[in-house]
Structure formats: structure tokens, C-alpha cells
Amino acid sequence: MRRRLSNIAPLVLVVVGLAILLYPTISNFLIERNASRAVERYSEAVDAMSDEEAQAILDAAHEYNAALALRAGAVSSGEASGPSASPEEQSALLERYDEVLNLDGDGMMGYISIPRIDVTLPIYHGVEEKVLQQAVGHLEETSLPVGGASTHAVLSGHRGLPSAKLFTDLDQLREGDRFYIRVLKETLAYQVDGIETVLPTEVDSLAIRAGEDRVTLVTCTPYGINSHRLLIHAHAIPYTPDMEDEVGKPGSFINIPLPYLLLVIALAVLAVVFAVLRHRQRRDARESRSSDGHASGRGGSHFA
């Protein structure tokens, strides 16, 4: 028994090593699959809505953003596109954050596609941990991601999780790159125009700018240390039909750095080699026993 265990121990170690190294990719595959299903369900629900229903939800989101810009001092009451309401009414509107742009009651606002890093992820209300473990969260107290003048939506995602890729590769974005946000029946396009690293308390660049339509993507940095925040700033650009192929594509489920990927391949090759050698040993042992048996049989009949 001990001899048998010692023979298969190397193979077991290789298989365990492979399982550990492949965990991030397997886990990320499951999260990417769930994200794709969430995007599909959202798209189906939107397609089932009338244009009037979708516009009513969108109008409520714009009203929310107008009240937020007014409170932030980014516009005057005469410039606000939303209703001219008293401060009390504006506060009451902003307190309905969880209800606005909440299509199915699950908190999903829409989804974001970032071609540079090959991800498409749902966007949910809030930045609670349960959201950030599997999707992108919208930072409360910032504009809803529906575009328009005097808006600045801030979207946050985790980086470096072993279980999911999410915003892990966000640092690969460069000025001029584009990303897209799909909300209801509209697709909004944004172009990166600034990248900065700040302390978590440095939030001045997240403020609403009068007349501008902006989105900032946020994640932790440096990788694995997370003492600062990486901010990817972008402004709205016209969405054109040639951009359609870049929106809503399922993200890559591979969540393993190249050195680890090479190690996985090496371990897989070792596993195959061990399996082949073990098979040959068993075959040779059977052939040896069979030869010994035949020789013994011939010897027994000769002396009988």
C-alpha cells in the first residue's frame, strides 16, 4: 500500500498544484458567466419595455442628476434641467437613490464595456462589498451614469481579487481609450482624458463640472497594496454605429498572469508525463507477470 502511494504521490502533487493555480481562472469564469447572464437578462427586460416606459425611467434619472448638480453648486436653479424644486424637495428626490434607475429591483443600472481590457460588467447601485466582489458599483452621491450636462458618474471596481478579474487590468488604459455604458435603450461613449493616482481622501477631481458630461473609473492601487486609488477620468463623445461591435461583448474569463499560465502548462505536461510513465510501468509489470507465469507453466509440464 505504501509503495502504491509513493508511486502516485508525484501525480497527486501535480494535480493539486494545477487546481490551486487554476482556481482564479475557474472562479473568474463563473463570475464572468454570471455577469453575462445579468447583462442578457437586463437587455431582455429593456427590449420588452416600450419606448415610453424606458424614457420615463430615464427622465427620473436625469431629474435626480439635476438635483444633485444643483446641490453641488455646479448649476444654478435657472440652469438646472430638472424640476425647479425647493431644497427639501430636492433632498427628498436624492433620498430615492435606490429606487431611481432600478429596472428590476435588483439594483442593476446597466453595464459597462471596456474594450482595452476586454471586460463587460454589470453596474449596480452602491459600492457594498457584495457588489464589488462580482461587478462594478456606482458611488452614491455622484451622478447616475445616464449622461447629460453637469454630470459626473463615478464607478468603482475591485482589483487583484483571486476570484475575479473585474478592474484588475484598469491600469492598462491610456488617454484616448474609449469605454461604453449601456443604460436602458441608450449607449453612451466616453474617452479617457486623464489618469491619476491619489489618496482615498483626495476626491476633488470627482466633483461635478458645470456643463460637462464625465465618468471616472476607480480602483485600488498599487496592485496588492491598495493604499491609493487609481482614477481613470473620461469625457463623453458621440456614440457612432461603428462602435457597436465593442459594446456588450463577454469578457475574457482567463484570470491568471502569464508566468503562472506558463507554470500551469508545465505542470500539465508533467502530469501527462507521470500518467504515461505510470501506465507503462503497469503494462510492463503485467507483461512481466504474464511472462513469468508462462515460463512457470512450461517448466511444470516438463517435470510432470
Side-chain angles (χ1 to χ4, degrees):
M1 183 65 178
R2 289 182 180 178
R3 183 178 179 182
R4 185 177 181 183
L5 289 175
S6 64
N7 287 337
I8 66 171
L11 181 59
V12 171
L13 290 175
V14 169
V15 171
V16 170
L18 277 172
I20 293 172
L21 288 172
L22 288 175
Y23 165 74
T25 292
I26 295 171
S27 176
N28 188 64
F29 168 75
L30 296 175
I31 288 178
E32 288 284 354
R33 185 180 65 176
N34 289 337
S36 295
R37 288 178 176 174
V39 168
E40 289 175 4
R41 288 194 300 268
Y42 181 85
S43 298
E44 290 170 358
V46 170
D47 290 341
M49 299 174 64
S50 66
D51 291 344
E52 293 74 16
E53 290 173 322
Q55 190 61 49
I57 297 173
L58 198 59
D59 288 344
H62 285 300
E63 289 179 5
Y64 177 95
N65 283 347
L68 190 66
L70 193 59
R71 189 177 72 176
V75 294
S76 67
S77 58
E79 297 172 321
S81 59
S84 55
S86 67
E88 292 77 14
E89 290 172 325
Q90 292 167 17
S91 295
L93 178 61
L94 296 176
E95 287 174 1
R96 295 179 53 237
Y97 168 74
D98 290 328
E99 302 172 23
V100 184
L101 210 62
N102 193 350
L103 185 60
D104 282 338
D106 60 358
M108 185 172 171
M109 297 180 168
Y111 57 88
I112 182 171
S113 293
I114 311 176
R116 165 71 76 174
I117 59 175
D118 193 22
V119 298
T120 291
L121 294 166
I123 303 170
Y124 287 92
H125 287 71
V127 290
E128 292 83 3
E129 191 62 23
K130 64 180 181 180
V131 169
L132 298 183
Q133 286 287 330
Q134 59 184 347
V136 174
H138 169 261
L139 186 63
E140 193 173 350
E141 302 294 322
T142 71
S143 306
L144 297 171
V146 293
S150 302
T151 62
H152 193 164
V154 179
L155 306 177
S156 179
H158 270 328
R159 185 179 184 217
L161 291 182
S163 59
K165 184 166 73 170
L166 302 174
F167 274 3
T168 293
D169 297 331
L170 199 65
D171 62 324
Q172 296 179 15
L173 265 65
R174 299 291 180 264
E175 290 190 21
D177 285 344
R178 300 181 302 207
F179 60 85
Y180 308 92
I181 296 175
R182 178 74 175 177
V183 176
L184 295 170
K185 300 189 178 187
E186 293 190 355
T187 303
L188 308 173
Y190 290 87
Q191 187 171 50
V192 176
D193 57 21
I195 300 171
E196 62 175 335
T197 299
V198 301
L199 291 169
T201 54
E202 296 175 328
V203 296
D204 290 348
S205 61
L206 302 182
I208 298 172
R209 301 180 187 176
E212 297 188 25
D213 179 350
R214 304 189 63 79
V215 170
T216 293
L217 309 180
V218 181
T219 194
C220 295
T221 196
Y223 188 93
I225 298 175
N226 304 335
S227 59
H228 290 65
R229 298 294 178 266
L230 176 66
L231 307 182
I232 307 294
H233 300 296
H235 65 275
I237 59 174
Y239 175 75
T240 55
D242 62 291
M243 300 175 179
E244 185 175 354
D245 290 341
E246 296 183 318
V247 182
K249 294 171 58 179
S252 170
F253 63 86
I254 297 177
N255 185 31
I256 182 169
L258 181 59
Y260 290 159
L261 181 59
L262 295 176
L263 183 56
V264 167
I265 294 172
L267 286 174
V269 171
L270 281 176
V272 172
V273 170
F274 278 130
V276 170
L277 290 175
R278 181 59 181 161
H279 173 72
R280 288 180 176 177
Q281 287 175 350
R282 289 179 177 176
R283 184 190 61 189
D284 292 344
R286 286 196 300 269
E287 290 177 352
S288 176
R289 288 195 298 270
S290 177
S291 298
D292 291 345
H294 287 308
S296 174
R298 287 195 299 271
S301 60
H302 178 72
F303 292 104

